[in-house]
Amino acid sequence: MEKVTVGLVKGRHEMPVSEYIFDQIEDVLDFDSMNEHILNFLRERVGVKVNAGCGINQAYLGDVDVFKGERELVCYVTGLTAATASLVALCAANGIRLSLMHYDRDTDSYKEQLLF
């Protein structure tokens, strides 16, 4: 599956990417605005379609219509918990395979955390 690799917020830390979900966040407590911005990014850059399959927390074993990301998202995170939480929730709701990249001070590199 094709990957889209981005940073969460531009200018907060050095990251090995050229594209960011946010250039800046004016108000980290404006969750509605943040969610809308992330959802637009996911629809435009990652792509979301409807497929038959199983939902993330589905009890019924048969296939139902579910959202599925067209590409995998790899995101270098910056420590803004509210923005990271919004990204995780929206990827889960839209069936997008998500890996977060966390900075490791001991090795001066990033470590991957595959969420789903």
Side-chain angles (χ1 to χ4, degrees):
M1 176 180 275
E2 182 184 347
K3 292 182 182 182
V4 174
T5 302
V6 298
L8 185 58
V9 183
K10 186 176 185 177
R12 285 186 49 87
H13 299 286
E14 184 87 19
M15 294 180 224
V17 299
S18 58
E19 182 179 8
Y20 296 85
I21 295 175
F22 291 96
D23 285 333
Q24 63 181 2
I25 298 176
E26 297 295 328
D27 180 358
V28 296
L29 298 178
D30 185 354
F31 306 123
D32 291 337
S33 176
M34 199 168 7
N35 287 343
E36 181 180 343
H37 183 86
I38 292 170
L39 188 56
N40 287 336
F41 173 86
L42 294 175
R43 288 178 177 158
E44 292 172 13
R45 285 291 289 122
V46 177
V48 178
K49 60 185 176 183
V50 175
N51 272 19
C54 289
I56 195 167
N57 193 22
Q58 181 177 317
Y60 172 68
L61 297 179
D63 284 348
V64 297
D65 285 344
V66 295
F67 292 110
K68 180 167 176 54
E70 294 178 331
R71 293 169 207 65
E72 178 180 344
L73 181 62
V74 177
C75 185
Y76 287 77
V77 294
T78 61
L80 283 175
T81 306
T84 302
S86 289
L87 177 65
V88 170
L90 289 166
C91 284
N94 286 282
I96 296 170
R97 183 176 171 97
L98 174 64
S99 290
L100 298 178
M101 302 299 291
H102 300 277
Y103 183 70
D104 181 346
R105 290 185 191 126
D106 293 338
T107 63
D108 192 30
S109 63
Y110 283 87
K111 184 172 182 177
E112 181 178 25
Q113 178 186 21
L114 175 63
L115 297 183
F116 29 77

